Amino acid sequence: LRGWIWALALAGMTAFSVGRMVRGNAVETDLLAMLPDTEKNPVAEAAIRSLAKTTGERAVYLIRASDPERTKAAALRMAETLRRSEAFQEVTAKLPPMDPGMVPRFYASYAARVASPEDGLRADPAVLKERIESRLASPQGGFSGLGTAVDPLGTFEAFLAGLPLTSSRLELQDDLMVIRSPEGLYVLFSGSLRGSAFDPAVQKRVVAATGAAERELRNSYPEAQILRTGAVFYAADARESAERETNLISSLSMLSIVLLFLWCFRSIRHLLLGILGVAAGFVAATTVCLLVFGKLYLLTLVCGSSVMGVAVEYSFLYFANHLGAGEDCNPRSVRRKLLPALGLGLFTTLLGYAALLVAPFPGLRQIAIFCLVGLVAAFLTVLCIFPDLLSRPLPARPPLSGPRDRVLDRGVALARSRGALISLAALMVLFGICLLRLRVDDAVRGLIQPSGSLMAQESRITRLTGLSNSGIFFLVEGSSEAQVLEREEALRARLAPLVQRGELEGFQAVSSFVPSPARQEANL
């Protein structure tokens, strides 16, 4: 009865897991999702998610051909090819006509409030008169385009020039975003994804569409250089790498298990039962992780593949005791005989994986639960199903039992020798020395090994555009908008010396665009 109950439970878990996998979105390829919530402030967590969503759900392309005209034509052609592929929600190459006077006109009515009197300017009639005369005598027109009557002291023009709107090297030319470089002109365009960058379906569509567009473009523009970056390409590379590793580890493990089963037992039934034990562990572990966490991390599947070698040991131990036991052997007596040894082996192994449960990393906890459930399921399969499916013992195998007995006798003799104790003591000393030299590295970058080609392209794009995707920010809070702006202005004052010393390249702030009410009154 217990065998039927466990078999029905496995069938239900198999149906659930297969259903979730078929529906998709069951495997999480974002390695950052494995990390703990490092921020205590929920607002900071929301900011991190918003930043990741904004920067992650977009793919960026840079195109360069032999001359500027061919570069622009090549960029427009590739953008149109990507647009037709329907892999993107929107592909933006040509921008709508820009009005250069839009920003000055927006701030014009607040000119006296946003423009800070700097450069030693004082409320002295002589000083003001000299500044106005200098402005009137200048042959160059003001940046604001509003004239000296609106900005007689040039303070409003200085405010507009200081807005962080021109921090990149991008220019607008023929409604295209271009970059001038020593190699030639580059054109930048981008595409917004139809979903999350960590959705395998989105990754496959974007990577396939990009590859097809690159091949089509090089047919007409063989000299074209194409650079691309985006979280979707890194996620796709990580997913493919994890799938390759999982398939390799699983294939080699399964092949070794199959060969060992065939060599030892020469029985297809034993081979199938051994595979059943491993499969039951994987199905149960997958089901429980999907129920508890909602998704499976790719790293869980990679690490979980190592459980296969442990889970199959329960089957081997059962079959080994069933080998040559004689016709009078009862399968249930074999189970009773093995239960203490199997239980002890399971308990000690579970203790090792249970240590991961106390780690603050959700990813490590999922790996622990996957391994724990997988081992328990394989153990239950051996105890509940094997006795009913393997009623007759296998005949003895003298070619195997002879070497086995000699190895066991030799091992027992070595364990009882004095040299074994000396060797054990030396190993303990060596272990202690290694433990003292152990260094912990908790940087998540160690878990991520992105493609060298992708990193080189991103580095090149960052260098050409002058834009960085560092994701470093300060979260400024306050009881009101005015207090937030005041505190941010104080933070800017502390960061400014770092920029002057070259320790920071720069920063952007809301108060750069909207001064605090107190600063506006002071300016006025």
Side-chain angles (χ1 to χ4, degrees):
L1 180 60
R2 72 184 72 181
W4 280 105
I5 294 175
W6 180 239
L8 290 175
L10 287 177
M13 289 187 285
T14 302
F16 173 81
S17 299
V18 171
R20 279 296 308 275
M21 293 295 180
V22 170
R23 288 199 303 271
N25 205 28
V27 178
E28 177 61 77
T29 59
D30 183 7
L31 286 180
L32 297 180
M34 300 178 60
L35 300 180
D37 295 335
T38 55
E39 302 293 341
K40 301 295 183 182
N41 194 325
V43 182
E45 284 298 314
I48 291 173
R49 287 193 296 269
S50 177
L51 182 65
K53 181 179 177 65
T54 302
T55 58
E57 296 183 0
R58 183 168 292 275
V60 177
Y61 301 86
L62 248 67
I63 308 294
R64 181 176 68 84
S66 56
D67 59 70
E69 294 306 317
R70 284 179 63 84
T71 296
K72 296 175 184 177
L76 290 173
R77 179 162 183 174
M78 183 170 177
E80 180 59 29
T81 304
L82 292 175
R83 194 177 291 114
R84 290 198 309 267
S85 70
E86 298 185 352
F88 295 89
Q89 185 175 356
E90 182 183 8
V91 178
T92 305
K94 274 202 168 188
L95 300 178
M98 296 290 184
D99 180 5
M102 178 179 63
V103 174
R105 285 198 304 272
F106 173 80
Y107 283 106
S109 58
Y110 313 104
R113 289 185 171 275
V114 299
S116 177
E118 297 173 348
D119 301 329
L121 189 62
R122 301 187 305 276
D124 186 310
V127 175
L128 299 180
K129 180 174 180 291
E130 182 180 351
R131 172 67 74 94
I132 293 172
E133 289 176 347
S134 174
R135 290 269 298 163
L136 290 171
S138 175
Q140 296 181 350
F143 169 79
S144 64
L146 299 178
T148 310
V150 177
D151 186 23
L153 302 175
T155 53
F156 182 52
E157 182 179 329
F159 167 77
L160 293 176
L163 289 176
L165 297 173
T166 57
S167 58
S168 73
R169 302 186 182 96
L170 294 169
E171 304 176 18
L172 196 59
Q173 191 178 107
D174 295 333
D175 297 333
L176 295 171
M177 298 300 292
V178 302
I179 304 167
R180 302 179 188 275
S181 72
E183 306 99 62
L185 190 76
Y186 284 86
V187 173
L188 180 144
F189 66 91
S190 64
S192 56
L193 309 182
R194 293 183 180 273
S196 171
F198 303 104
D199 184 348
V202 173
Q203 296 167 14
K204 291 175 183 177
R205 287 196 300 265
V206 171
V207 171
T210 299
E214 289 179 350
R215 290 189 295 270
E216 180 180 331
L217 185 67
R218 287 200 169 93
N219 290 334
S220 303
Y221 301 88
E223 81 281 11
Q225 181 182 4
I226 305 170
L227 302 175
R228 56 185 171 90
T229 189
V232 63
F233 299 115
Y234 283 101
D237 178 73
R239 176 183 55 80
E240 292 172 0
S241 175
E243 287 179 351
R244 285 195 302 270
E245 293 177 6
T246 302
N247 292 334
L248 178 62
I249 295 173
S250 301
S251 300
L252 291 178
S253 300
M254 187 58 69
L255 179 62
S256 302
I257 290 171
V258 169
L259 293 177
L260 193 56
F261 264 103
L262 293 178
W263 181 69
C264 289
F265 304 112
R266 309 283 177 88
S267 168
I268 298 297
R269 175 185 294 184
H270 287 70
L271 173 61
L272 295 177
L273 287 176
I275 295 175
L276 173 64
V278 175
F282 264 78
V283 167
T286 301
T287 301
V288 172
C289 286
L290 289 175
L291 289 173
V292 174
F293 296 94
K295 287 187 177 182
L296 268 176
Y297 301 125
L298 271 180
L299 199 61
T300 300
L301 295 177
V302 175
C303 297
S305 301
S306 62
V307 182
M308 183 184 299
V310 181
V312 78
E313 291 180 2
Y314 305 137
S315 304
F316 264 115
L317 190 56
Y318 185 89
F319 297 152
N321 279 268
H322 215 241
L323 184 66
E327 292 295 335
D328 56 343
C329 177
N330 188 337
R332 287 168 180 77
S333 65
V334 173
R335 181 175 61 191
R336 286 193 300 271
K337 175 184 175 183
L338 288 178
L339 186 57
L342 286 176
L344 181 61
L346 175 67
F347 178 72
T348 54
T349 308
L350 294 183
L351 279 181
Y353 285 110
L356 297 177
L357 290 174
V358 301
F361 286 76
L364 290 181
R365 288 200 295 268
Q366 188 182 96
I367 292 174
I369 291 178
F370 188 94
C371 297
L372 291 172
V373 175
L375 291 173
V376 171
F379 175 81
L380 292 176
T381 302
V382 171
L383 292 184
C384 298
I385 295 180
F386 281 21
D388 295 329
L389 298 180
L390 198 65
S391 57
R392 289 186 307 166
L394 280 174
R397 296 283 311 284
L400 284 177
S401 57
R404 177 200 64 190
D405 294 339
R406 288 193 294 271
V407 169
L408 290 176
D409 293 340
R410 182 61 177 165
V412 171
L414 286 175
R416 292 175 176 174
S417 66
R418 186 176 180 181
L421 296 176
I422 297 175
S423 301
L424 182 61
L427 287 175
M428 292 298 293
V429 172
L430 181 62
F431 175 75
I433 295 174
C434 294
L435 193 62
L436 292 176
R437 298 178 60 86
L438 183 67
R439 296 294 179 268
V440 177
D441 183 5
D442 60 355
V444 69
R445 292 182 181 273
L447 299 176
I448 306 173
Q449 295 181 346
S451 164
S453 172
L454 289 176
M455 294 185 66
Q457 292 185 68
E458 181 182 2
S459 176
R460 188 95 179 270
I461 291 174
T462 301
R463 190 169 59 252
L464 288 169
T465 61
L467 298 174
S468 175
N469 188 25
S470 63
I472 300 174
F473 63 90
F474 289 94
L475 180 67
V476 182
E477 296 181 280
S479 59
S480 64
E481 293 181 0
Q483 190 178 55
V484 168
L485 292 172
E486 290 174 9
R487 291 178 174 179
E488 192 183 72
E489 287 170 346
L491 177 61
R492 287 171 54 199
R494 297 178 63 181
L495 294 177
L498 300 179
V499 177
Q500 294 171 359
R501 294 197 299 265
E503 298 178 24
L504 276 182
E505 185 177 347
F507 55 84
Q508 291 188 2
V510 177
S511 57
S512 299
F513 297 91
V514 184
S516 66
R519 177 65 61 86
Q520 292 183 37
E521 291 298 325
N523 294 341
L524 181 58

